[in-house]
Structure formats: structure tokens, C-alpha cells
Amino acid sequence: MSQPAPDPQRWKALASISVAQLMVLLDGTIVNIALPRMQTDLGFSDADRQWVVTAYTLAFGGLLLLGGRLCDLWGRKRLFLIGLVGFTVASALGGAAVNTGMLFGARALQGVFGALLAPAALSLVTTTFTEGRERATAFGIFSAIAMAGSAIGLLLGGFLTEYVDWRWCLYVNIVFAVVAFTGAMVFVHDGGSRNRDRLDLPGALLGTVGLLTLVWGFAAAETDGWDAPVTVGMFVAAAVLLAAFVAVEARTKAPLLPLRVVTERNRAGVYLGIGLAMIAMFAQFLFLAYYLQLIKGYSPLLSGVAFLPMAICLTIGSTQVGARLMNRVPARLLMVPGLVATALAMALLAQLTPDSSYWAMVLPAQIILGLGMGAAFTPSMNLATHGVRSEDAGTDRSATESTSPDQQTAAPLMAR
């Protein structure tokens, strides 16, 4: 069967999509370095400080699954633009916050629209690039930007906090959004058919509330302790809700999350491995931001510069290691060493003391983490979306039915 000609503007489309993805990932960390200044300006307590981060991650993580399903119902490009505009408005509200409640609400609203934007961006990359080698390159670029965005956020946040104002850590999203929106309107196309089955409302409710409860449980553990009644109660409630979600998804005709997507061996391994590694990486972002400023006495800008080696190594690992080798060696030969390197970096950071040297402890860990995560993340994103059925949530028929000869050759290699 002859394949349709590739979109001549696909690389410009990738640039627009990547800018939006950079904004979402960057916003997960850019406020970390600004937190001390925010707290002084708005006067919130140490106990409330975590909600600047948690409000964003709670909404983002809880609604991400629903956002992926809405890509099918509303269209990937449409959801991408809606998420982009909403995220920008929420960022402007956060930058203009006059009290704690307004700031927390804006951060939660950012998470809501980020949960629409992120799956739409990934789906657009998947369906825009269907030729094997180009797809590997596209995922390498997309992964590098996604991975480096968090570290770049710390650097940019340090600069803006020190030389401008902490509010510009949120206002800066307007600049990214204008660039991404303009490019998306011109270059991004949403072709192919979509799954238009009715939304699985029971599954959406159970899945969303279950994930929200789970994230809330981790947030409660930070403030109240792991054995506190509220923490234990949240985890028990999350387990019950998510078990009910699985039961509903196994029986409904048009599930929010077809269980075959997550039970297939290769994808399940990718989700588990990369998911745990990402949790660890984001945790060290917040930990080191406070460690460098409050323990080592670094300025906000110098703290951001301290993360720069990791951003560079993430880019090298994604584009020069992961993307180049993805179609040449089995995925496990990239992912396993990459995840082992990530674990080694975390073990090094766990040895930090107030007297530890940045050059002897933090810098080596940053380099190892960057190269490891970069090498693992690119093949994981490709493998996580490969072979998903056309009728499944967030997936277009063009992603699976118009498989090129290069993809047919690469598929067994990636799955090994």
C-alpha cells in the first residue's frame, strides 16, 4: 500500500509543538527557585509553601488521563490550542497574584490546561512523523526538549527571580505561548480519523478522582507523615478508587483507558521504569533547589546555573545517544543502562551533607543523571506509543495503519 507523502511543514510543526511542551515541563520547576521570594512577598507559611508545586502537579497528574481521551473526542490540534490558551491565561493570573489563594488557584488551573496540552502534543508528534528514521529523530528532539525543560526552568527561574521579579517566572509563559500558538495555527495539521465513541464517564470520574487522591496522599505524607490518618486514608481511598476504575475499564465497550494499552509487556515496562525515574528526577529538582540556596548559600541565579550541566547532558543523551541508536539496538540496551545510571545518580545525591562539595558530589550526579535519563527517555517515548490500536484513546489510525517499511523493520528491534 502506498504511503501518503509526508507533510512538508512537519519540522516546523515539531518546533511549535516542542515549544509548548517546553513551557509545560519548564513550569513544573521554574517556580522552585523563586519559592523563597514568593513566600516573603505573599506571606504564606512554610506548611503552605509546598502547595505552589503540589497544586500544579495535583491537577496535572489527576487529569492527564482524561486529557488523552479528549484528544480523540475534540481533535488533537483543537485540544492543543485550547490547552495552550488556557495555560497562558492561568500563568498570567499567577503572575498577578495578590494573595496565597490566587496563586494556588492559578497554579492548579495551569495543571488543568497542562493536562490537556501535554497528551495532545505527544499525539501530534506521533501522527505527524510516521517514517521510522524521521520518527526517531523527531522523538529525539521532542524528548531532549521535554527532559531539558525542567532543568532549564531552574536556570531561567533563577535569572528572573534575581534580576527581574519572581512574577516573571509565570509571565514568561506568555512569550512561549505566543510563539507556539502562532506556529501551531500555521504548521500543525490534525489529519486522520478519530475515536468518537461516547466518553466513559464512570471511568473518567473514577480515574480522575483516584489519581487526585493518590497525589494528595503523597502531598499529605510530606506535611503530616506517612503514618498519619489522613495520609493512610488517602492511599486507601486511592487504592479502592483505582481498583474500581480497573473493574469498570475491563467491562465497558469504550473505556477511557483500554487495559491492553498498559498490560502489554513492553509498554508496561516502559511506563513503570520511566515513571519511577521521572518521580525521582523531579524530586531532586526541588531538593537541590532548596539545598543549594538555603544550605550552600547560592543565589537564585547561581542555583540555576548549577543545574546547567544536567540540562546539557539531557540534550546529549536524548539526541546523540537515544535518537541515534534507537533504530539500531534493542530498546532495553538503551533503557536499562540509562535507568541504572539514574539510580546511581540518586544514590550519590542521597549522600549529601551540609559540607558536601558541589564539584565532588552534585556535579557528577547531575552529569550521570542527565546522560542516563536522556538515553532512556527517547526510546521509551517511541516504544510507549508504538503499536497502539487505532481505536484506543488518544491514538489516530494514521499512527498504526500507515506503518512504513522502516517502522516495520524497527518494531521488532524496539520491542526486544
Side-chain angles (χ1 to χ4, degrees):
M1 183 176 64
S2 61
Q3 303 299 322
D7 184 350
Q9 296 181 323
R10 60 194 180 280
W11 295 107
K12 295 177 181 178
L14 177 64
S16 302
I17 297 167
S18 297
V19 168
Q21 182 71 2
L22 171 65
M23 181 182 67
V24 173
L25 271 296
L26 177 148
D27 215 77
T29 59
I30 192 171
V31 299
N32 287 354
I33 286 182
L35 271 176
R37 299 283 179 89
M38 288 183 181
Q39 186 174 3
T40 300
D41 195 3
L42 296 180
F44 50 84
S45 66
D46 289 341
D48 288 338
R49 183 173 55 194
Q50 65 143 335
W51 286 102
V52 178
V53 177
T54 303
Y56 178 81
T57 55
L58 187 67
F60 184 83
L63 297 173
L64 195 59
L65 188 61
L66 180 60
R69 179 66 182 92
L70 291 178
C71 285
D72 275 335
L73 294 177
W74 297 353
R76 291 176 299 277
K77 180 176 178 179
R78 179 181 298 174
L79 200 71
F80 180 83
L81 295 175
I82 291 173
L84 195 56
V85 172
F87 196 93
T88 307
V89 172
S91 299
L93 290 174
V98 296
N99 54 48
T100 303
M102 185 174 177
L103 177 63
F104 293 172
R107 289 288 287 166
L109 197 60
Q110 280 184 306
V112 171
F113 285 103
L116 303 180
L117 181 58
L122 179 60
S123 182
L124 284 169
V125 175
T126 302
T127 55
T128 299
F129 295 90
T130 57
E131 189 273 329
R133 294 188 182 278
E134 279 197 353
R135 195 167 187 257
T137 302
F139 268 113
I141 296 171
F142 186 78
S143 300
I145 292 174
M147 295 300 297
S150 300
I152 293 171
L154 293 165
L155 176 62
L156 184 59
F159 174 82
L160 293 173
T161 300
E162 187 160 342
Y163 292 109
V164 188
D165 187 87
W166 67 261
R167 296 179 183 276
W168 276 93
C169 292
L170 295 163
Y171 287 146
V172 71
N173 289 330
I174 299 173
V175 179
F176 287 108
V178 169
V179 174
F181 187 90
T182 303
M185 288 295 293
V186 178
F187 303 122
V188 174
H189 303 291
D190 190 8
S193 58
R194 302 195 308 268
N195 181 350
R196 299 178 184 273
D197 290 336
R198 181 177 300 178
L199 178 64
D200 171 23
L201 290 177
L205 181 62
L206 288 168
T208 300
V209 177
L211 288 173
L212 285 170
T213 306
L214 179 63
V215 177
W216 202 307
F218 284 110
E222 195 276 336
T223 55
D224 301 309
W226 290 97
D227 57 351
V230 63
T231 304
V232 175
M234 286 292 178
F235 284 135
V236 171
V240 172
L241 288 167
L242 293 177
F245 170 74
V246 171
V248 168
E249 299 307 278
R251 291 171 173 78
T252 187
K253 291 183 178 180
L256 180 70
L257 176 65
L259 298 183
R260 58 181 171 266
V261 172
V262 294
T263 55
E264 194 274 330
R265 185 187 68 177
N266 291 302
R267 283 194 293 271
V270 168
Y271 298 152
L272 179 62
I274 293 297
L276 292 175
M278 290 291 286
I279 290 172
M281 189 178 76
F282 273 88
Q284 68 88 30
F285 281 143
L286 184 58
F287 167 74
L288 283 181
Y290 276 98
Y291 174 82
L292 293 173
Q293 288 190 73
L294 301 184
I295 304 299
K296 305 301 288 184
Y298 287 18
S299 68
L301 178 59
L302 187 57
S303 297
V305 172
F307 285 95
L308 189 58
M310 182 172 61
I312 295 172
C313 290
L314 281 167
T315 303
I316 293 172
S318 295
T319 59
Q320 302 303 313
V321 179
R324 287 180 179 271
L325 297 179
M326 190 168 66
N327 286 332
R328 301 178 184 178
V329 301
R332 66 175 183 272
L333 295 185
L334 291 173
M335 292 185 60
V336 172
L339 294 177
V340 169
T342 301
L344 175 60
M346 294 302 162
L348 286 175
L349 292 175
Q351 309 307 312
L352 285 178
T353 68
D355 298 324
S356 295
S357 166
Y358 171 83
W359 302 102
M361 293 287 288
V362 178
L363 180 61
Q366 298 279 286
I367 293 173
I368 295 171
L369 175 63
L371 292 174
M373 281 296 292
F377 198 68
T378 301
S380 74
M381 291 189 73
N382 198 354
L383 191 57
T385 57
H386 177 78
V388 177
R389 296 185 185 182
S390 60
E391 68 269 20
D392 289 342
T395 305
D396 191 308
R397 283 185 173 83
S398 64
T400 52
E401 292 179 0
S402 50
T403 305
S404 70
D406 280 344
Q407 283 179 294
Q408 295 168 2
T409 301
L413 188 61
M414 288 298 298
R416 280 207 303 256

